[in-house]
Amino acid sequence: MSRFAVKCLLITLFVVGASSATFAEQDSPGTHKKVYLFRGLTNVLSPGIDQLADELRQRNISATVTNHLFWNSLANEAIQDCRSGRVSSIVLVGHSLGASAVLSMAEQLQQAGLHVALAVTFDPVVRSAVPGNVHLMRNFYISDGLGVPVQPGEHFHGLLRNVDLKSSPELGHVSVTTSPSIQKQVMSDIISANTGCR
């Protein structure tokens, strides 16, 4: 396949992925926790994000899953929902460029004076700092691959856990999102994350 054909294929995947970024959501009765999940570049390369969203819905936990490009509009939605009382606790989860979206959204929530109970990132590809409004930050990355650790921001006083998975050769940039043990840890963290957003 020529380089031109490969470039066309990648551009097509990106456009299709971004345009099909669904704001799949389920509002659950009796809970005010909201989980925002962000896929990476083409949506199809973040299968574990969709698996988490499916399990959250099965547990009646409200979840929105979308492409990383839409973090800004979701931040505005989260700010309104928290201030109105429709949401009492916010969780952010993202893979690859979706990990960058998580930290950008957390930063915007901080500027609005709101808190994030939990932020989880899978193999972020851009070095970022955790803003001070995040209670617990857990980052799963592969240091001998594409992933990088996250750093505490200037005013961060929460709990930061960088988990380097380079000793697990079966894991890669995509499969890190679907690892059963990691999915179990993340689900446990989400269930127990109850820090108020206000």
Side-chain angles (χ1 to χ4, degrees):
M1 187 180 286
S2 70
R3 284 186 179 200
F4 178 74
V6 171
K7 285 182 181 178
C8 287
L9 177 62
L10 289 175
I11 290 169
T12 301
L13 280 172
F14 175 74
V15 171
V16 169
S19 64
S20 66
T22 57
F23 287 88
E25 181 175 352
Q26 175 169 329
D27 291 317
S28 52
T31 181
H32 298 288
K33 181 183 300 180
K34 183 63 181 275
V35 183
Y36 296 92
L37 302 105
F38 297 95
R39 304 184 191 106
L41 184 64
T42 66
N43 284 332
V44 296
L45 299 179
S46 302
I49 295 297
D50 292 286
Q51 289 176 8
L52 281 169
D54 289 343
E55 185 171 348
L56 287 166
R57 292 183 191 111
Q58 289 171 13
R59 293 172 180 263
N60 291 321
I61 297 174
S62 182
T64 294
V65 58
T66 189
N67 184 270
H68 67 97
L69 294 172
F70 300 104
W71 69 265
N72 189 270
S73 61
L74 288 180
N76 291 329
E77 174 190 300
I79 290 167
Q80 292 174 4
D81 286 349
C82 179
R83 287 179 174 165
S84 71
R86 287 190 296 269
V87 168
S88 62
S89 185
I90 294 172
V91 173
L92 307 175
V93 181
H95 169 239
S96 192
L97 289 175
S100 300
V102 161
L103 295 173
S104 295
M105 183 166 169
E107 178 68 34
Q108 188 162 328
L109 294 174
Q110 178 175 255
Q111 291 171 10
L114 303 179
H115 302 279
V116 175
L118 169 68
V120 178
T121 51
F122 295 96
D123 224 28
V125 294
V126 178
R127 291 197 178 274
S128 302
V130 190
N133 63 328
V134 177
H135 180 71
L136 170 61
M137 172 77 219
R138 196 181 295 275
N139 176 44
F140 299 94
Y141 73 107
I142 305 170
S143 63
D144 56 357
L146 297 175
V148 295
V150 296
Q151 305 299 323
E154 184 179 353
H155 301 290
F156 179 74
H157 301 292
L159 187 60
L160 170 58
R161 295 283 187 252
N162 277 302
V163 182
D164 189 353
L165 300 165
K166 68 179 180 181
S167 61
S168 302
E170 73 281 4
L171 295 179
H173 185 63
V174 174
S175 60
V176 68
T177 68
T178 58
S179 164
S181 62
I182 295 173
Q183 288 251 334
K184 184 177 180 181
Q185 176 66 65
V186 172
M187 188 57 61
S188 174
D189 287 343
I190 291 173
I191 291 168
S192 59
N194 291 308
T195 302
C197 58
R198 288 189 289 179

